[in-house]
Amino acid sequence: MDPYKHRPSSSFNTTFWTTNSGAPVWNNTSAMTIGQRGPVLLEDYHLIEKITNFHRERIPERIVHARGASAKGFFEVTHDVSHLTCADFLRAPGVQTPVIVRFSTVIHERGSPETIRDPRGFATKFYTREGNFDIVGNNFPVFFIRDGMKFPDVIHAFKPNPKSHIQEYWRVLDFCSHHPESLNTFGWLFDDVGIPQDYRHMEGFGVNTFSFINRDGKVHYVKFHWKPTCGVKSLLEDEAVRVGGLNHSHATQDLYESIAAGNYPEWKLCIQIMDPADEDKYDFDPLDMTKIWPEDLVPLQPVGRLVLNRNVDNFFAENEQLAFSPGVVVPGIYYSDDKLLQCRVFAYGDAQRYRLGANYMMLPVNAPKCAHHNNQYDGVMNFMHRDEEIDYFPSKFDPARQAEKYPILTKVYTGKREKTVIPKENNFKQPGDRYRSWDPARQERFVKRWVDVLSDPRVTLELRSIWVSYLSQCDRSLGMKVATRLNMRPTM
């Protein structure tokens, strides 16, 4: 009898997608939502199975954002936004809140150099009087995909080849050729800002659309922007090779030594605000995280300043065990129906419980700095002292009560269960506008980077043709330049 007869093997793959239990999957592209735009339904078993399996692929480092550095400081409100949100830490100018910030590279391993062309993470944890609030963003304002169903796939495509463990761009171009919405993010990745000089000279963006709620219950969509006061600086390819060859931890060292020397990095927090009643006025979907909100249409408004004035006391305790989640919000700030945000709200907490354990929120760096109480306890690595007999609610023997009511979203949803793409994609206008905004030298560097990745021998003629077509739809001259250098006929 063959002992391996029933062992799972890729050689026995079906010709169609299935769940782990073998059930056929007819849609592996879109999460199930109420209506075309959401919100996402937790009953989407395939989505949950796909995400939770993805979170458990590697131990113990983070699947993404494995390489990072953290620092501590404070956030100070400088402008009154109390008419927009009832969030306590934004209640008035002058209010300060302690924070910890983690900067990171996204794709590469924990020991990788910090000079690789890669998005950078910019995550901020506010220790407010009403609990923690996390802005978990990047140094790009957009992302490659708009639906959480595709998150494991996009990360797999950017990660090294599972057979050779070599990162290869033909895999990225293959995957993203099916997702023209990725063009907007390539407009940042293949731009000069794709390799920041260091963390201090880097912008940050919340990327997703959140909601502000004021005391009267009025809701506004909000996007968060971090603007470095020392400006944005980047490394070109030859500089990155030189710096990386000398020090693969240059950005971590720069951050640590700058703070130690009293040269505290600072960012301004600005927001963009949109009334949900106006969202149909634009040629893009405001909840699509592959799109920016053009600042000439939705101007930036200042809110406060972030100052990092303390290095971490222990790298492992305050960087490796530091955990963020966009699901961690406070009264006055909530989510939107952004499909990818809806998935992230669940996904990040699940990833942290796997990576750090069920009680990761008890770790000092993750624990709220205000008094808190609930009946969620025990489990692996629990170290909270509990001298209580009542572990249920409500009880005549426990005086603990529910908090005072605060405004929440009251939007009414109607729609059928659907797995579909949003109706307003408009994938080419914004990346074309960005390209045309650059000077000729910057455009030339962008063209060269596209030619370099499309020249990979594993990139087929079909893939090159698709990308030349996409680039031409963004900007005709861009497509022609890339096609000419690849000895292809330009797409008209």
Side-chain angles (χ1 to χ4, degrees):
M1 180 179 179
D2 182 2
Y4 302 109
K5 182 177 181 180
H6 300 290
R7 183 175 64 178
S9 170
S10 59
S11 62
F12 302 127
N13 280 353
T14 64
T15 57
F16 53 86
W17 292 107
T18 73
T19 64
N20 285 341
S21 61
V25 173
W26 68 270
N27 188 323
N28 192 34
T29 300
S30 303
M32 184 175 290
T33 57
I34 298 177
Q36 291 182 318
R37 298 177 62 227
V40 173
L41 295 177
L42 188 61
E43 73 179 49
D44 190 342
Y45 176 84
H46 174 52
L47 170 67
I48 300 302
E49 179 184 79
K50 186 174 181 180
I51 295 294
T52 53
N53 274 267
F54 173 65
H55 290 164
R56 290 155 175 81
E57 286 181 359
R58 291 173 176 82
I59 55 172
E61 74 174 27
R62 293 168 171 87
I63 298 176
V64 287
H65 300 277
R67 176 71 192 266
S70 302
K72 296 179 283 190
F74 66 88
F75 173 78
E76 180 181 13
V77 179
T78 57
H79 293 71
D80 185 12
V81 291
S82 60
H83 61 294
L84 295 171
T85 175
C86 60
D88 177 74
F89 79 103
L90 298 175
R91 63 188 178 275
V95 173
Q96 289 191 359
T97 301
V99 301
I100 187 167
V101 177
R102 186 174 189 268
F103 306 100
S104 57
T105 57
V106 173
I107 294 299
H108 303 278
E109 291 92 342
R110 194 160 54 194
S112 58
E114 294 176 308
T115 50
I116 297 177
R117 184 170 299 278
D118 191 22
R120 300 299 195 270
F122 192 130
T124 308
K125 185 182 294 292
F126 301 77
Y127 299 105
T128 87
R129 301 193 307 183
E130 293 183 311
N132 293 350
F133 169 54
D134 292 353
I135 298 180
V136 192
N138 289 332
N139 69 321
F140 302 161
V142 287
F143 196 59
F144 296 95
I145 56 168
R146 59 167 67 99
D147 195 302
M149 183 65 83
K150 304 308 299 177
F151 188 73
D153 299 295
V154 68
I155 299 302
H156 283 169
F158 273 86
K159 285 284 191 179
N161 186 317
K163 184 174 181 179
S164 64
H165 202 66
I166 299 171
Q167 189 184 29
E168 299 167 315
Y169 254 98
W170 66 265
R171 292 162 38 81
V172 174
L173 298 176
D174 176 32
F175 171 78
C176 290
S177 71
H178 301 276
H179 301 278
E181 66 266 29
S182 64
L183 282 159
N184 220 6
T185 309
F186 278 118
W188 291 75
L189 180 65
F190 287 170
D191 183 23
D192 294 347
V193 297
I195 309 178
Q197 175 178 294
D198 50 58
Y199 296 133
R200 293 184 298 122
H201 295 87
M202 187 178 83
E203 289 182 294
F205 301 90
V207 188
N208 293 109
T209 301
F210 281 78
S211 299
F212 269 176
I213 312 170
N214 68 15
R215 295 194 181 281
D216 297 325
K218 173 62 179 175
V219 176
H220 285 90
Y221 291 147
V222 60
K223 279 186 175 288
F224 300 105
H225 299 249
W226 296 110
K227 301 296 183 182
T229 58
C230 58
V232 176
K233 296 182 180 179
S234 306
L235 296 175
L236 299 183
E237 280 77 358
D238 57 341
E239 297 173 311
V241 170
R242 177 181 58 82
V243 172
L246 296 173
N247 181 2
H248 84 298
S249 300
H250 82 284
T252 296
Q253 182 175 342
D254 173 82
L255 179 67
Y256 189 91
E257 292 182 348
S258 295
I259 294 174
N263 181 21
Y264 304 140
E266 183 174 332
W267 288 261
K268 292 181 180 179
L269 177 63
C270 298
I271 56 174
Q272 288 178 292
I273 292 293
M274 183 185 297
D275 191 322
D278 296 334
E279 62 179 298
D280 292 331
K281 295 181 179 180
Y282 304 96
D283 61 4
F284 60 92
D285 188 328
L287 305 188
D288 177 0
M289 69 180 295
T290 70
K291 300 293 182 290
I292 62 167
W293 294 359
E295 293 177 17
D296 59 334
L297 301 178
V298 190
L300 294 177
Q301 302 180 34
V303 176
R305 66 188 187 112
L306 168 71
V307 179
L308 299 180
N309 57 8
R310 291 175 56 203
N311 281 310
V312 296
D313 300 308
N314 179 275
F315 185 82
F316 180 78
E318 296 179 293
N319 184 76
E320 294 305 290
Q321 292 193 130
L322 177 57
F324 295 92
S325 170
V328 176
V329 295
V330 292
I333 303 176
Y334 201 66
Y335 324 118
S336 73
D337 293 342
D338 176 337
K339 283 189 178 186
L340 194 46
L341 174 60
Q342 292 267 319
C343 181
R344 293 180 77 208
V345 166
F346 164 78
Y348 278 60
D350 183 64
Q352 306 296 4
R353 291 181 185 93
Y354 169 69
R355 188 174 69 88
L356 297 172
N359 290 300
Y360 76 96
M361 287 293 288
M362 289 187 186
L363 296 168
V365 72
N366 299 321
K369 302 298 182 271
C370 60
H372 57 286
H373 172 71
N374 57 52
N375 289 320
Q376 298 164 201
Y377 61 92
D378 289 351
V380 176
M381 296 299 290
N382 179 292
F383 51 88
M384 178 181 286
H385 173 68
R386 290 181 61 91
D387 185 15
E388 299 172 328
E389 293 183 300
I390 306 303
D391 57 359
Y392 49 85
F393 177 86
S395 170
K396 300 291 187 183
F397 300 96
D398 188 343
R401 57 181 174 79
Q402 298 181 100
E404 293 183 11
K405 186 176 180 180
Y406 52 82
I408 61 173
L409 268 67
T410 57
K411 182 178 179 180
V412 176
Y413 292 95
T414 59
K416 62 182 180 180
R417 291 180 173 86
E418 291 188 74
K419 281 179 170 282
T420 186
V421 176
I422 62 171
K424 196 186 291 185
E425 293 192 70
N426 200 357
N427 295 319
F428 305 104
K429 181 180 184 299
Q430 289 192 2
D433 290 343
R434 179 171 171 80
Y435 173 78
R436 287 184 290 274
S437 72
W438 298 333
D439 61 64
R442 192 168 177 178
Q443 290 181 347
E444 169 61 24
R445 292 191 293 271
F446 184 71
V447 169
K448 183 179 184 305
R449 289 166 191 141
W450 269 111
V451 172
D452 286 346
V453 296
L454 289 171
S455 297
D456 187 313
R458 292 289 299 271
V459 177
T460 64
L461 178 60
E462 179 185 14
L463 280 175
R464 289 193 188 108
S465 299
I466 290 172
W467 282 107
V468 167
S469 171
Y470 286 167
L471 294 171
S472 298
Q473 291 177 75
C474 294
D475 183 90
R476 185 178 178 184
S477 65
L478 169 61
M480 291 182 65
K481 289 176 182 177
V482 173
T484 300
R485 299 190 193 187
L486 293 172
N487 295 317
M488 296 177 62
R489 178 176 298 177
T491 302
M492 302 303 291

